[in-house]
Amino acid sequence: MHIYISEWLRKYPEVYESLCTAFEKSGVNWHFLDHTAEVWARDYMPLHLNDGKYVAFNFCPDYLSDNKGKYVTCQDFVIRNMNIDLVARLDIKLDGGNVVRCGDKTIMTDKIISENPNIRPLKLIDTIEKTMNTELILIPWDMEEPFGHADGMVAYIGDGKLLMNNYGQMGEETKPFRLRLHKILDCHFDVIELSYSGRLRKDAWCYLNYVETPKTVIIPGLSKDLGCDNDKSAVKVFSNLFPDKEIVQVYAAPLVRHGGALHCVTWELYNNKKICKTLQP
């Protein structure tokens, strides 16, 4: 596995330096992507299916439409010199942050429907399922999050186990939404709802937006010294979830303030024998 990031991550120097250190500690190979327009690599890079095979798609999200393309990365341009095994293209508007692969299943929020109003929903679902060789599970869009991403709501940890954001700690107003999620997901997965001790922050969702490597799980932190109650609680929670891996925490509050975290700014390339670009510190 190789991990890629955009050079735009340098605009967040504290996060960039901490993440570089975490990669080195994890023993992973990592590289920069060329020709990116913004930092959120997960959103515009191809979707991994399995066995090193990928699917391309059209990246033109509505939340970037007012910027006249200034921040829209051209996926084809970025990957043209990379040795990626593309097996298909989804000719639909899609955002990689809204795709959580769970073995032979895939979770997306229903924002995928509103982003493709020219395609009948049933046809859209059928196209995704056939192209990605998957069962598509649609969950409601968390309207507190403007981008419609699923990767800040759920994460798959294998063996049919799915992590879900700590909605149960967010007050009575989130209870109906939480119950809707359980009703959809419980029949497919063993759902583990996250819970943290200490003084709960609204942005505690970020801990779910982690990066897993063969040796470590790199999770975000919200305090510079990683010493706040929630940061320390998150380390304990993920240590229990991943007992065979070291939990490495990276200060990520500057990213979180802009709506993303570590999973959002990284992208994995599997089974690639030839890497075109190496790290230039």
Side-chain angles (χ1 to χ4, degrees):
M1 179 181 76
H2 296 261
I3 294 181
Y4 281 80
I5 60 174
S6 167
E7 290 204 51
W8 286 95
L9 191 58
R10 292 180 186 268
K11 298 292 184 179
Y12 303 84
E14 293 172 306
V15 181
Y16 169 72
E17 292 169 9
S18 296
L19 189 56
C20 289
T21 300
F23 287 153
E24 290 164 5
K25 187 173 185 178
S26 303
V28 297
N29 295 306
W30 64 279
H31 318 266
F32 284 124
L33 294 165
D34 287 333
H35 312 299
T36 62
E38 41 93 354
V39 71
W40 312 110
R42 182 73 52 180
D43 295 353
Y44 46 74
M45 292 300 287
L47 308 174
H48 182 234
L49 301 183
N50 51 51
D51 300 326
K53 300 183 185 302
Y54 290 82
V55 169
F57 58 89
N58 301 331
F59 179 70
C60 46
D62 53 7
Y63 56 82
L64 294 179
S65 61
D66 293 340
N67 296 297
K68 298 180 180 180
K70 179 180 178 182
Y71 299 111
V72 177
T73 296
C74 176
Q75 184 184 102
D76 291 340
F77 197 34
V78 175
I79 69 175
R80 64 181 181 176
N81 292 322
M82 298 176 69
N83 186 22
I84 300 175
D85 187 5
L86 287 178
V87 296
R89 170 177 286 278
L90 272 168
D91 191 20
I92 63 173
K93 292 182 180 180
L94 186 60
D95 185 331
N98 190 24
V99 179
V100 177
R101 187 78 176 185
C102 310
D104 60 354
K105 299 178 176 64
T106 299
I107 297 174
M108 297 184 189
T109 72
D110 53 17
K111 187 174 188 284
I112 188 68
I113 304 294
S114 62
E115 283 202 302
N116 293 276
N118 58 319
I119 307 175
R120 288 181 292 111
L122 289 179
K123 181 174 176 57
L124 177 64
I125 292 170
D126 183 64
T127 298
I128 293 171
E129 290 189 329
K130 287 181 177 177
T131 304
M132 296 181 63
N133 190 27
T134 192
E135 175 186 355
L136 179 62
I137 300 169
L138 290 179
I139 59 176
W141 176 6
D142 180 355
M143 300 301 289
E144 293 294 317
E145 188 272 333
F147 311 115
H149 289 176
D151 70 350
M153 299 173 65
V154 294
Y156 186 63
I157 60 174
D159 297 325
K161 296 178 181 179
L162 187 75
L163 302 183
M164 190 171 84
N165 200 8
N166 58 321
Y167 292 108
Q169 295 184 296
M170 296 182 185
E172 283 296 314
E173 64 273 15
T174 63
K175 185 175 180 180
F177 183 78
R178 172 177 171 262
L179 293 177
R180 285 180 66 196
L181 288 177
H182 274 293
K183 187 174 182 180
I184 294 168
L185 297 171
D186 286 353
C187 59
H188 296 282
F189 306 101
D190 176 11
V191 177
I192 302 169
E193 190 170 347
L194 295 173
S195 178
Y196 308 105
S197 62
R199 188 175 179 180
L200 185 67
R201 292 186 176 202
K202 182 180 179 181
D203 46 14
W205 63 267
C206 75
Y207 300 122
L208 187 68
N209 200 263
Y210 60 84
V211 179
E212 185 176 0
T213 79
K215 296 180 180 179
T216 65
V217 176
I218 308 172
I219 67 171
L222 292 170
S223 54
K224 281 193 175 183
D225 64 354
L226 307 176
C228 73
D229 290 345
N230 276 55
D231 282 352
K232 291 189 288 187
S233 176
V235 171
K236 292 179 182 178
V237 168
F238 279 85
S239 294
N240 289 331
L241 291 168
F242 297 91
D244 298 327
K245 295 192 177 186
E246 181 181 1
I247 306 303
V248 180
Q249 197 162 45
V250 168
Y251 175 61
L255 292 175
V256 175
R257 285 195 289 269
H258 288 91
L262 303 183
H263 187 262
C264 297
V265 298
T266 55
W267 180 80
E268 300 87 5
L269 183 57
Y270 296 91
N271 293 348
N272 187 51
K273 297 180 180 179
K274 181 181 178 183
I275 300 297
C276 297
K277 294 291 181 180
T278 57
L279 171 66
Q280 297 296 323

